Amino acid sequence: MKTDAFSPGPTPTFQSSAKQTLRDTQMRRNLAKATRTIRERRAARVQELPDWPELQEAGRALKERVMRHLDTYLVQLEESVQRAGGHVHWARDAHEANAIVAQLVRDHGGREVIKVKSLTTEEIKLNEALEEAGITAFETDLAALIVQLAGETASHILVPAIHKNRAEIRELFMRKLGVRDLSDEPSELAAAARRYLRQKFLSTPIAISGANFAVAETGTLSVFESEGNGRMCLTLPNVLISVMGIEKVIPTWQDFEVFMQLLPRSSTGERMNPYTSLWTGVTPGDGPQEFHLILLDNGRTRALSDQRGRQALYCIRCSACMNVCPVYERVGGFAYNSVYPGPIGSIVTPLMVGIGNVPTLPYASSLCGACYEVCPVKINIPQVLIHLRGRAVDHKRTHTLVGRATPEAAGMALIGYMFADRERFERAQRLAQRGQWPLVHGGTISSLPGPLGGWSAMRDLRPVPKQSFRDWWRART
Amino acid sequence: MTTAREEILRRIRAALADVPSDEQPEHVSVERGFNRASDAARSEIVDLFVERVTEYQATAHRVSETDLPQAIAAACASRGVRRLVVPADVPDKWMPEGAAHGIELLRDGPGRELAVDELNASDAALTGCALGIAQTGSIVLDSGPAQGRRAITLVPDCHLCVMREDQIVGIMPEAITHLGDAVRARRPITVISGPSATVDIEFQRVKGVHGPRTLEVFVVAATPAASSA
């Protein structure tokens, strides 16, 4: 099975990227401030609903139902969209999806498209592919615009420019939009973006969006947003192309009673986001008169085939797990080298591109469990992280020549041998009690010799005590 | 050559080899143990709606049916509205006396659709709505009576929305149930919760990027005649 990796070439390890991002103190300050604000707001809005746990459980169960019967629901969705006057395309990978979009834009003689912020199109690098085809894509979400103007990538799935503060954004707008006399007031910065994009909205005939949910029963798609750029793209152009991961389907219209409560509160910490657009195919006299839906695999079926990892596909992209993660808050989104950062990214990326391509991502966590607690669809992220760590080790053992011969593998084999037998274990303990003195300084072991040094670089170890529990027990009786 | 569609469906079926072949979607149980209807009194629901709309920095006016045209005229005057877009089927009894207040009415309807530049040059739009949701302070448009097409409540910088008290439901699940027919008739739906806003800069909510930066809701008290209908 050929699956496009998210980034070409070997992905740097999480540890090496994190070392770099940790040096950016401005980014860390911006991030700490923003994630604290979102955490507090989310907590307040969730506490307001006495039936939140029941909503979470219903959301989880609905997603489980969809994943176990994904083929049935996709075929039903396809029929519903076609019945409502839309066209449905299927794309095995990023390349195929991008080619379909480029062809559709060319068929309409378009050179420019406007876009609603969409993680799926970031995942497949649609903007770059369109550029190669001679088509310019304009991002219209404020944060996506900031990131596009800066020539960067997003560092957070909800607030892509979370790593930038107002002064940095003011400087960027003055440079790239040719605006003078701009203050760093967020409202004035937003007004500058409004002026810049207004004419684009009114005159561009083709728009591209993602989708938060698609209803199999009715063929209804939805976009949840705040600024109105989504409504502009979904309403004013003649042609709308929506790219959607196959896992975004939900069974029935009524199921929105669950997801319309879970998503805004978990995501932006609002009772409801300012604008939610729901459209069913084509409506004569209102909005785009041509609608294309592209159903994208790009590794999702690979994730589906991992029985324990499958739940990662329940994700509704709210980003609550990022905002509570102590690791994300410090290293930032770039350290994960994926469109999907944070705890959910640490499981969804390896599941989609294959653990062998990103073997260090499941280690980007302290397993504290905060992500599991806030997840609106109850994805047990720590459980999947541990499962994937196991798969990473297995992969190394079976797919690399040195896998079996690493000091780590040898060490684990030795420990396994010692722990398998009581007498051997106690002999090793006594050996350690006598032999550890050169390493103990002030009651702790802070660095280990040789290849073990890497492990102790970030951790302190308590020395083996003078008397073990078993010795104490024996002496007592 | 297999098509992408066949290939993806084949991959899905292979990935789900652990799911028993006779399992139906309904066999995966979904407990809807959450609240599905509000048990609050009507007056509390209306009060809550007004309170929650206001928290989004929108304006809510509580008016009687008789006072509605005056309230709309006053809002237009205070916002400096001179060109007001209305759906062709907006009830005449809502209308402020146009000439008296110097307001030009731009009617938009099937067969007489305003160009997008005309919408852009207007100051406000006046519409009805399908529903209000008290719990979230949301207004729902479903392209039904007095609502027009989606563009008219989007391009003008101010949206004036008329809502009858009996259109307000308590909580989200009730709204979703009410909207089922509109969805099955393939009408587009927009849920609006406050004016256009962004949190993209330092996660601080500021009003207005591309949608209307001003939202005013007129909550019209049910008249005895309306409540008996």
Side-chain angles (χ1 to χ4, degrees):
Chain A
M1 184 168 96
K2 183 183 159 291
T3 306
D4 282 11
F6 292 167
S7 48
T11 311
T13 65
F14 172 77
Q15 287 83 344
S16 66
S17 301
K19 258 187 198 140
Q20 280 175 24
T21 58
L22 281 168
R23 288 194 203 110
D24 188 343
T25 50
Q26 181 65 56
M27 185 272 290
R28 283 171 63 188
R29 260 195 305 274
N30 296 350
L31 202 55
K33 188 177 162 197
T35 52
R36 189 177 57 238
T37 312
I38 314 178
R39 277 199 303 271
E40 286 165 4
R41 199 165 311 171
R42 180 197 166 280
R45 288 294 164 252
V46 165
Q47 269 163 23
E48 217 174 75
L49 291 188
D51 53 349
W52 184 257
E54 287 81 10
L55 286 166
Q56 278 179 301
E57 172 51 29
R60 186 208 62 75
L62 282 166
K63 286 288 187 174
E64 184 187 10
R65 178 183 281 184
V66 167
M67 293 321 148
R68 289 176 75 88
H69 298 278
L70 191 56
D71 51 339
T72 309
Y73 285 118
L74 286 174
V75 170
Q76 194 191 357
L77 174 68
E78 179 184 48
E79 283 167 11
S80 302
V81 170
Q82 286 169 345
R83 207 170 44 231
H87 305 270
V88 179
H89 311 257
W90 300 67
R92 278 168 276 218
D93 52 35
H95 175 75
E96 210 162 48
N98 290 336
I100 295 168
V101 177
Q103 190 57 48
L104 286 170
V105 177
R106 267 198 298 264
D107 288 349
H108 291 87
R111 312 296 299 164
E112 291 187 351
V113 295
I114 45 176
K115 277 190 71 204
V116 192
K117 178 186 146 218
S118 141
L119 283 165
T120 310
T121 61
E122 276 174 55
E123 170 194 320
I124 62 177
K125 299 200 184 309
L126 177 64
N127 292 5
E128 290 85 338
L130 288 178
E131 202 180 313
E132 275 173 35
I135 300 159
T136 311
F138 290 91
E139 291 292 349
T140 62
D141 171 83
L142 180 55
L145 174 71
I146 293 167
V147 166
Q148 191 180 39
L149 289 174
E152 293 178 349
T153 53
S155 68
H156 187 282
I157 65 171
L158 172 70
V159 208
I162 199 168
H163 56 287
K164 281 202 166 355
N165 66 16
R166 59 181 77 189
E168 293 168 306
I169 295 165
R170 168 179 178 264
E171 194 274 325
L172 178 73
F173 276 15
M174 290 179 66
R175 196 156 41 85
K176 292 281 185 163
L177 303 184
V179 198
R180 274 176 220 154
D181 300 329
L182 193 62
S183 83
D184 64 359
E185 263 308 301
S187 59
E188 219 181 291
L189 295 168
R194 179 185 171 101
R195 283 191 300 276
Y196 170 71
L197 285 170
R198 196 73 181 178
Q199 207 48 46
K200 288 268 171 273
F201 285 131
L202 302 186
S203 62
T204 310
I206 306 174
I208 296 170
S209 82
N212 291 95
F213 303 94
V215 180
E217 174 202 17
T218 59
T220 307
L221 270 83
S222 65
V223 163
F224 290 62
E225 50 123 5
S226 300
E227 299 171 13
N229 64 309
R231 290 179 72 192
M232 289 280 179
C233 292
L234 300 169
T235 310
L236 297 183
N238 298 322
V239 181
L240 172 62
I241 305 167
S242 300
V243 185
M244 185 189 105
I246 51 175
E247 83 283 20
K248 295 290 179 68
V249 62
I250 60 173
T252 68
W253 165 255
Q254 195 64 39
D255 300 329
F256 266 122
E257 67 186 2
V258 176
F259 296 110
M260 238 185 247
Q261 299 199 68
L262 289 178
L263 183 55
R265 286 179 200 258
S266 265
S267 179
T268 49
E270 291 167 301
R271 295 191 178 106
M272 227 10 231
N273 50 299
Y275 299 132
T276 301
S277 293
L278 301 137
W279 73 98
T280 307
V282 168
T283 312
D286 188 349
Q289 295 301 297
E290 190 175 325
F291 170 55
H292 296 269
L293 172 62
I294 300 172
L295 297 172
L296 174 75
D297 179 351
N298 204 36
R300 285 161 177 80
T301 49
R302 177 188 285 206
L304 192 69
S305 69
D306 185 314
Q307 280 183 50
R308 255 176 292 179
R310 185 176 294 162
Q311 55 182 312
L313 296 175
Y314 299 179
C315 176
I316 58 173
R317 311 278 187 258
C318 73
S319 75
C321 63
M322 267 152 244
N323 302 328
V324 297
C325 179
V327 176
Y328 176 87
E329 187 180 327
R330 283 160 185 84
V331 303
F334 296 134
Y336 298 80
N337 295 298
S338 165
V339 178
Y340 306 107
I344 187 64
S346 303
I347 62 174
V348 93
T349 307
L351 284 164
M352 281 169 61
V353 306
I355 189 72
N357 292 312
V358 285
T360 55
L361 271 185
Y363 295 91
S365 169
S366 66
L367 300 177
C368 75
C371 49
Y372 179 33
E373 212 167 287
V374 296
C375 179
V377 289
K378 295 167 78 169
I379 302 169
N380 192 333
I381 296 175
Q383 186 191 69
V384 180
L385 283 167
I386 293 168
H387 163 65
L388 289 173
R389 287 180 186 187
R391 278 189 49 195
V393 173
D394 286 345
H395 183 273
K396 200 161 144 194
R397 252 206 314 251
T398 50
H399 286 76
T400 61
L401 281 172
V402 291
R404 277 174 197 282
T406 58
E408 189 189 21
M412 287 296 176
L414 183 65
I415 289 170
Y417 175 76
M418 276 174 359
F419 275 56
D421 178 275
R422 181 175 65 85
E423 306 229 320
R424 279 205 291 268
F425 176 72
E426 288 183 357
R427 268 204 300 279
Q429 230 172 10
R430 279 194 287 278
L431 200 65
Q433 276 162 359
R434 275 181 243 127
Q436 67 185 341
W437 63 268
L439 303 171
V440 182
H441 301 284
T444 54
I445 299 173
S446 47
S447 79
L448 289 168
L452 295 170
W455 189 87
S456 62
M458 307 286 175
R459 302 167 179 88
D460 283 345
L461 196 64
R462 310 270 290 169
V464 179
K466 288 201 175 66
Q467 190 184 32
S468 73
F469 174 78
R470 286 162 190 248
D471 289 339
W472 172 78
W473 187 260
R474 273 192 290 261
R476 200 182 144 269
T477 50
Chain B
M1 199 185 87
T2 52
T3 63
R5 182 182 187 277
E6 289 163 15
E7 171 72 11
I8 292 170
L9 289 172
R10 189 198 59 75
R11 288 178 189 173
I12 292 171
R13 286 165 192 146
L16 295 173
D18 60 300
V19 177
S21 58
D22 59 347
E23 183 182 295
Q24 298 299 309
E26 319 68 87
H27 295 161
V28 184
S29 76
V30 175
E31 287 287 332
R32 294 183 198 252
F34 49 88
N35 297 335
R36 302 194 73 190
S38 166
D39 51 12
R42 197 94 280 277
S43 63
E44 286 174 68
I45 288 174
V46 176
D47 289 347
L48 183 63
F49 175 80
V50 169
E51 184 191 311
R52 296 265 155 108
V53 166
T54 315
E55 283 176 29
Y56 291 123
Q57 294 179 284
T59 313
H61 309 271
R62 301 189 71 162
V63 293
S64 70
E65 207 167 331
T66 342
D67 295 338
L68 180 62
Q70 273 172 298
I72 291 172
C76 287
S78 76
R79 301 282 176 194
V81 174
R82 309 202 68 81
R83 296 164 61 80
L84 179 67
V85 178
V86 294
D89 61 344
V90 107
D92 284 336
K93 60 183 177 181
W94 292 1
M95 291 302 169
E97 289 293 317
H101 294 90
I103 296 168
E104 185 189 349
L105 286 183
L106 306 169
R107 286 181 186 271
D108 182 277
R112 168 70 191 95
E113 275 147 20
L114 298 167
V116 74
D117 289 329
E118 288 179 272
L119 290 177
N120 199 34
S122 73
D123 303 305
L126 169 68
T127 70
C129 65
L131 287 175
I133 308 169
Q135 181 188 39
T136 59
S138 305
I139 295 160
V140 186
L141 304 181
D142 71 352
S143 317
Q147 295 166 49
R149 59 194 174 106
R150 286 173 288 173
I152 66 167
T153 53
L154 171 63
V155 179
D157 202 14
C158 170
H159 180 195
L160 308 174
C161 183
V162 176
M163 180 183 294
R164 295 192 321 270
E165 281 186 358
D166 62 7
Q167 288 181 301
I168 303 173
V169 299
I171 61 175
M172 184 61 76
E174 296 169 282
I176 298 298
T177 306
H178 275 279
L179 292 166
D181 289 343
V183 170
R184 284 174 196 101
R186 293 173 206 157
R187 286 177 3 216
I189 289 170
T190 310
V191 184
I192 298 173
S193 309
S196 167
T198 181
V199 292
D200 281 347
I201 299 167
E202 298 182 6
F203 212 78
Q204 192 181 97
R205 185 169 167 136
V206 297
K207 227 172 150 168
V209 192
H210 306 294
R213 285 179 284 194
T214 304
L215 175 64
E216 298 206 19
V217 191
F218 301 87
V219 179
V220 184
T223 58
S227 59
S228 68

